[in-house]
Amino acid sequence: MTVFIYPNLEKLHSEECTAEVIEILKSLGVAVLMTPDTNQVFNGKAEEASTIDQAVSSCDIVITIGGDGTILKIASLAAKHQKKLLGINCGRLGFMASLERSELDCLKNLCTEEYKTEKRMMLDVTVKPEKGTAITKTVLNDVVFTHDFKESLNDFTVLADGVVVSHLRADGIIFSTPTGASAYALSAGGPLIEPSMDCIEFTHICPHSLSARAMIFDPNKIIEVKTEAAGHITLRADGGEAISVTSGDSIYIKRSSLSLSVIDIHGDNYFKSISTKLMNNAKEVYEEADDR
């Protein structure tokens, strides 16, 4: 078995965690693959692939070490090559990660295949500008439209299979997968959705309305977004580079043909994360308030 390790070495303790993972995997007889720049940090302890794409295509499993953002950076590539992905958390929340640093002994389960795998739905977002070439991005979490906060609110019209379902003025709007429902969409007031489900969530960011509510679409709907941009509108796919959007652009969001296979070592990672990471955070805030 060959494992490609993809760490975010800017995260606190990620370098130490990566070194531990390398040693554990090698002791289990697993071939460890890295890109040259990362392998150099660890004194050439791994085999090398010249590019990230080559590493992903050559491995059996991708292991990310960092936070949820690290997973998002490589998710579409892992899905493209149909590789399983295991996240190890060295970040603050790490909601999508299956393992914490204190649980690295569970890596032996990769060799015995004592783990569950979940298929995670993904979305394709296509921006067709009035002039220029269309851009398509594949996302695991979400597609977010926001304005420059120096500008005024903007009007958004949302259509599903050509039928208008919402017209509102807001700071922005979010379209997320069930996986992304626990990210920005949750902070904007959307519901938690079990990530093994298939659907498209539509959530508003600070709508200028008393009736605006999150909506859930059938996963096979084709969503179209139209803007009447008074200011500067940007689109971000999984928090990536900002794409400028104008009122003349055609924007479509639909279910991707790709899906990501996420390894869940314990078999209960989602509900465990809700109780230990989301609920406990709220509990700590209340306890601190009581102490004051």
Side-chain angles (χ1 to χ4, degrees):
M1 180 171 66
T2 300
V3 169
F4 170 49
I5 298 180
Y6 182 75
N8 179 359
L9 297 179
E10 294 181 0
K11 289 287 185 182
L12 186 65
H13 304 306
S14 63
E15 187 170 333
E16 301 98 304
C17 182
T18 302
E20 290 180 55
V21 171
I22 292 171
E23 293 304 320
I24 290 171
L25 290 177
K26 292 182 74 173
S27 71
L28 293 168
V30 176
V32 177
L33 196 59
M34 285 182 164
T35 52
D37 55 338
T38 307
N39 197 27
Q40 184 177 8
V41 175
F42 298 97
N43 301 315
K45 290 184 178 180
E47 299 176 23
E48 290 187 1
S50 58
T51 65
I52 294 175
D53 186 88
Q54 183 185 349
V56 174
S57 66
S58 302
C59 74
D60 299 298
I61 293 174
V62 177
I63 291 182
T64 64
I65 300 174
D68 288 344
T70 312
I71 294 174
L72 295 179
K73 286 179 181 178
I74 204 166
S76 60
L77 196 55
K80 171 188 171 184
H81 291 293
Q82 299 181 340
K83 305 298 182 178
K84 299 175 184 178
L85 185 145
L86 170 67
I88 298 175
N89 181 40
C90 281
R92 295 180 62 185
L93 186 61
F95 197 83
M96 289 188 285
S98 180
L99 289 180
E100 300 296 323
R101 187 182 175 189
S102 60
E103 301 174 310
L104 295 184
D105 60 312
C106 294
L107 288 171
K108 63 181 182 295
N109 291 23
L110 297 180
C111 298
T112 58
E113 297 188 356
E114 294 179 71
Y115 57 81
K116 291 185 178 180
T117 304
E118 285 187 348
K119 286 283 187 182
R120 300 291 183 89
M121 174 185 167
M122 304 180 80
L123 296 174
D124 287 337
V125 54
T126 300
V127 179
K128 296 181 178 179
E130 282 188 294
K131 297 179 181 179
T133 307
I135 301 171
T136 298
K137 299 285 186 179
T138 301
V139 303
L140 174 63
N141 253 11
D142 51 33
V143 180
V144 179
F145 297 79
T146 56
H147 66 73
D148 185 331
F149 288 94
K150 296 178 183 178
E151 306 286 353
S152 60
L153 297 177
N154 285 285
D155 293 308
F156 296 92
T157 300
V158 177
L159 303 90
D161 287 347
V163 177
V164 175
V165 295
S166 180
H167 181 79
L168 77 158
R169 180 165 291 183
D171 279 345
I173 54 178
I174 305 167
F175 295 90
S176 70
T177 64
T179 299
S182 59
Y184 197 174
L186 179 66
S187 299
L192 282 171
I193 303 173
E194 192 169 358
S196 58
M197 295 179 64
D198 290 340
C199 63
I200 302 172
E201 180 185 347
F202 167 42
T203 311
H204 321 89
I205 304 171
C206 298
H208 196 68
S209 169
L210 293 176
S211 59
R213 292 291 184 270
M215 300 177 66
I216 304 295
F217 293 115
D218 180 280
N220 297 311
K221 292 288 186 186
I222 296 178
I223 310 299
E224 182 180 1
V225 178
K226 296 181 179 180
T227 69
E228 296 176 20
H232 184 63
I233 298 284
T234 59
L235 178 158
R236 290 184 185 272
D238 271 354
E241 184 178 350
I243 299 171
S244 294
V245 174
T246 69
S247 57
D249 294 345
S250 299
I251 305 158
Y252 298 94
I253 298 164
K254 66 176 183 177
R255 180 179 192 162
S256 176
S257 61
L258 300 179
S259 61
L260 180 66
S261 296
V262 176
I263 292 175
D264 183 353
I265 291 285
H266 303 294
D268 60 355
N269 184 62
Y270 176 71
F271 293 105
K272 178 183 175 183
S273 293
I274 290 175
S275 62
T276 62
K277 296 181 179 180
L278 292 184
M279 301 303 292
N280 279 357
N281 284 348
K283 181 181 178 183
E284 289 170 6
V285 171
Y286 287 125
E287 287 176 348
E288 288 175 7
D290 290 339
D291 289 341
R292 289 196 293 269

